[in-house]
Amino acid sequence: MGSPIVLGIESSCDETGVGLVRDGQLLGHVVASSMDEHARFGGVVPEIAARAHVHAVRPVIQRALDDTGLRLTDIGAVAVTTGPGLAGALQVGLAGAKGIAYALGVPLYGVHHLAGHVAADTLEHGPLPDPCMVLIVSGGHTSLLLVRDLARDPIVHLGDTLDDAAGECFDKVARVFGLPYPGGPAIDRAARTGDPRAVAFPRPLTGSPDRAYDFSFSGLKTAAARWAEGHAGRELPVADGAASLQEAVADVLTRKAVAACAEHGVGTLVVVGGVAANSRVRSLAEERCLAAGIELRVPPLKLCTDNGAMIAAVGDLLVRAGAEPAPLDLSIDPSAPLEYATLHPAASLAGAAR
């Protein structure tokens, strides 16, 4: 008999995701998004997101089970995102996970959201090489990580976001350009007919030896806004602006990632997170990794954005590694740093921190 089936629940932002994984194999997953409800506000509204999770979590769990021909009693472990993310949204997912784990008498695991993005790649390409370089590029996070055994070892940060992450930059510039929310896909679509060399946008922190692997996209965001303002009274060449912005972001991300692989002697680069769905980030990463003799791994588009499969994947790794389940007073940590894949903050400690 193999490992137990792990149910994963993700509710850190505006997607309610549920996934089912066993022995590294994705059995099925379902995602319900409240994105349309946030679009008119130009960004995610925490209270709207939390209420959407309340309405969606139970039907999404049932759909995931139905799609895979499983019953709730087939679940052998539950994994849930406990941070980082929106506090109210995280609480909904955790409450659901605790209820299921308690009712079934199965172990519960708290999972770091960003570790979930890393584990998502294992569902497509198998176990991660030890070591590997991971570039996480999402709405609120841009990080370069040296990863060994994801279930057991600490995660080494080579660089992180200093201010705006790549996804934030896309969202904010899209609004300036008059493009819809979410900005990343809108920028990608608009860039298809644009000239990536039309605007000489800056490449932030590419000449800073002491910040070699850190990321800062606030200056690029400001440069794009100033460029748009310079067209006041004239038609804005949105396609050229979008293509040039996308090229600048992809250039910085892939340049630093490939350089980190070379410096640390790592032969595999894994690019994950919502912005990993960007067409130029993917194609430029392919070009540069091929030239440098580095294996590139990028999850399929359906596993790049937030989903429950990635959380179940971490839970599956933890189960197979014999990791200690979470205590009954498991709480959330909305601003948790990424140190380990597990994230088991206690309610008493969370209260003391406040």
Side-chain angles (χ1 to χ4, degrees), residues 10-300:
E10 155 62 24
S11 67
S12 65
C13 193
D14 59 339
E15 277 98 11
T16 309
V18 171
L20 295 156
V21 171
R22 177 165 60 185
D23 284 328
Q25 300 298 311
L26 177 60
L27 306 179
H29 79 114
V30 174
V31 177
S33 176
S34 59
M35 188 179 296
D36 291 345
E37 298 177 53
H38 304 283
R40 62 194 179 102
F41 299 102
V44 176
V45 181
E47 180 60 24
I48 291 176
R51 292 186 181 187
H53 289 307
V54 170
H55 292 296
V57 66
R58 189 171 176 179
V60 170
I61 291 171
Q62 191 59 55
R63 269 190 58 199
L65 292 169
D66 291 344
D67 288 352
T68 53
L70 296 170
R71 296 172 298 175
L72 195 59
T73 51
D74 293 323
I75 303 305
V78 180
V80 61
T81 304
T82 46
L86 303 175
L90 289 168
Q91 291 283 19
V92 176
L94 178 57
K98 280 186 174 182
I100 293 171
Y102 180 79
L104 297 178
V106 300
L108 173 69
Y109 296 88
V111 171
H112 196 290
H113 174 80
L114 297 181
H117 278 300
V118 179
D121 184 72
T122 67
L123 299 175
E124 182 71 13
H125 300 117
L128 294 170
D130 180 2
C132 64
M133 192 67 62
V134 177
L135 173 64
I136 296 182
V137 205
S138 65
H141 304 273
T142 307
S143 298
L144 259 176
L145 311 170
L146 187 61
V147 175
R148 295 190 180 277
D149 187 320
L150 187 62
R152 296 181 174 92
D153 295 334
I155 294 166
V156 179
H157 289 246
L158 302 180
D160 289 293
T161 309
L162 299 181
D163 39 55
D164 282 6
E168 290 176 285
C169 179
F170 279 147
D171 282 340
K172 292 174 180 177
V173 173
R175 187 184 305 179
V176 172
F177 284 4
L179 296 172
Y181 175 85
I187 290 285
D188 202 351
R189 289 192 298 271
R192 292 171 188 166
T193 57
D195 179 0
R197 297 174 299 277
V199 189
F201 285 136
R203 270 52 172 173
L205 293 185
T206 49
S208 304
D210 57 329
R211 296 289 189 183
Y213 300 126
D214 285 326
F215 299 94
S216 168
F217 291 103
S218 64
L220 176 58
K221 172 197 68 180
T222 301
R226 297 293 85 83
W227 173 78
E229 289 172 2
H231 289 77
R234 295 177 290 148
E235 183 178 355
L236 183 67
V238 172
D240 285 346
S244 299
L245 176 79
Q246 182 172 263
E247 188 68 21
V249 171
D251 182 23
V252 171
L253 293 173
T254 57
R255 187 188 308 190
K256 292 188 177 229
V258 170
C261 288
E263 179 177 341
H264 292 272
V266 176
T268 302
L269 172 64
V270 184
V271 183
V272 298
V275 181
N278 179 272
S279 62
R280 186 53 181 153
V281 170
R282 294 169 84 96
S283 65
L284 191 55
E286 288 174 8
E287 292 173 25
R288 289 182 166 169
C289 283
L290 182 62
I294 296 168
E295 178 191 6
L296 175 67
R297 293 174 40 156
V298 187

